[in-house]
Each structure stands twice: as C-alpha cells, then as structure tokens.
Amino acid sequence: MDSSSFSSAYDPKGEGDAGELHVLAVDDSVVERLFLERMLKDSEYKVTTAENGVRALEYLGLLGDAGEGAQNKTDLKVNLIITDYCMPGMTGYELLKKIKEISYLKEIPVVIMSSENIPTRIEKCLEEGAEEFMLKPIQQSDVKRLRCHVKSLNQPSPGRLCLGR
C-alpha cells in the first residue's frame, strides 16, 4: 500500500482519552478534506484522510491482500469513520455497506455527510447502519457531537442523545 495515499496528522497536546480517538475522514474534495481534517485536529482527534472509498478500504485492509486483511488489521485503531456521500467510483453509502459487512469493522461508527438534503438518501444510510447523517458545511459543533458516537463504543449508555446545532 502506498503510504502517500493517506494523510495522517496528530496533535500531540491531545494526550489521554481525547487524543487517542482516531478518525478516518473520507472526501474526494481536497478543500473539504483539509477543512474537515483541521476541524478534527482542533478537537484533538488523530486524523487519517483518504480521497475516496477505495483508498479508505485499502487503509482498513479490505483491498489488496484480502486473505491477510482480517488478521493484520485486528490492531487497527479507528474509532470513527466520517465520509462524504457523493464521491466518484464509490459513494459513501457503498463504503458504509462494505464496512458493515466485515465483522471486525462493523462496530466502528460511520457518519455520512452531504451537501444535499435528500430525505430518502438520509433514511437509507441510517437504515444501513450509519450513526448519523450530517449536512455540509460541517460546523465545529458537528465535530464535537462526533465524540458521543465514539464513546458509545467504549461506554455504552442506552438512550444517549447527541444534540446538534
């Protein structure tokens, strides 16, 4: 796998619980990807970016050496995946479906974002297992809200509500 395909950035002041949260951000727009990465870093997330769904699957070990993927990626520490819906080649919805089909990845929360507010699309993504569907442009309050989805894996609390803007 070509390491130049991914951008990984980590703000060292985010040690402890907040600093350990790792987000895979997927967006085909360079500007949107850099904007999202900056907001996530400002909220003390470790961030890895991918420019499309295929690159995200490569990072997660689902493409390439398919036979070795599950064994080698059990140590992969991604706490949340946030992906654009509209991307060439593979939509965010298709990426979501592939992630939810893999046993060692299906518990990772996936958030879909889009600039288009299409109720049937939103409903379809949520039914397929997306934690949330966010409308672009993403706000800092949206990024802060992501933390409740991540923590729900480690500290389940039934009925937890993520309040938005």
Side-chain angles (χ1 to χ4, degrees):
M1 173 171 54
D2 179 8
S3 62
S4 65
S5 300
F6 308 104
S7 169
S8 185
Y10 179 60
D11 183 356
K13 67 181 179 175
E15 310 219 334
D17 185 47
E20 294 175 26
L21 299 179
H22 184 187
V23 176
L24 175 59
V26 187
D27 200 312
D28 60 310
S29 164
V30 174
V31 173
E32 293 275 345
R33 201 166 54 244
L34 290 172
F35 179 69
L36 182 59
E37 180 180 10
R38 170 56 46 206
M39 285 203 308
L40 288 164
K41 284 175 60 181
D42 286 348
S43 293
E44 299 183 340
Y45 287 99
K46 178 180 178 183
V47 183
T48 300
T49 61
E51 65 268 18
N52 57 46
V54 173
R55 291 285 189 215
L57 292 176
E58 285 176 0
Y59 180 77
L60 294 169
L62 299 180
L63 297 179
D65 298 328
E68 297 177 23
Q71 291 81 11
N72 290 342
K73 294 299 175 184
T74 54
D75 61 342
L76 183 65
K77 301 289 188 238
V78 173
N79 303 91
L80 179 113
I81 298 166
I82 183 165
T83 182
D84 186 21
Y85 182 90
C86 294
M87 296 184 292
M90 177 184 293
T91 66
Y93 175 74
E94 292 166 333
L95 176 60
L96 167 70
K97 285 181 65 170
K98 289 195 178 294
I99 289 167
K100 295 303 178 181
E101 289 172 357
I102 306 300
S103 62
Y104 70 97
L105 295 177
K106 68 180 175 185
E107 297 303 317
I108 297 174
V110 178
V111 172
I112 309 252
M113 55 187 174
S114 178
S115 57
E116 300 174 325
N117 186 359
I118 302 173
T120 53
R121 177 183 292 173
I122 295 169
E123 186 177 323
K124 187 168 75 167
C125 290
L126 295 173
E127 285 175 356
E128 195 63 42
E131 291 292 317
E132 190 166 347
F133 194 103
M134 295 181 170
L135 292 176
K136 290 181 175 183
I138 300 297
Q139 307 289 321
Q140 194 64 42
S141 59
D142 296 324
V143 172
K144 289 178 181 173
R145 198 169 70 238
L146 293 175
R147 196 168 300 278
C148 73
H149 295 305
V150 173
K151 288 192 180 230
S152 67
L153 280 180
N154 302 326
Q155 304 165 7
S157 54
R160 180 174 212 154
L161 178 63
C162 296
L163 299 175
R165 47 186 159 147

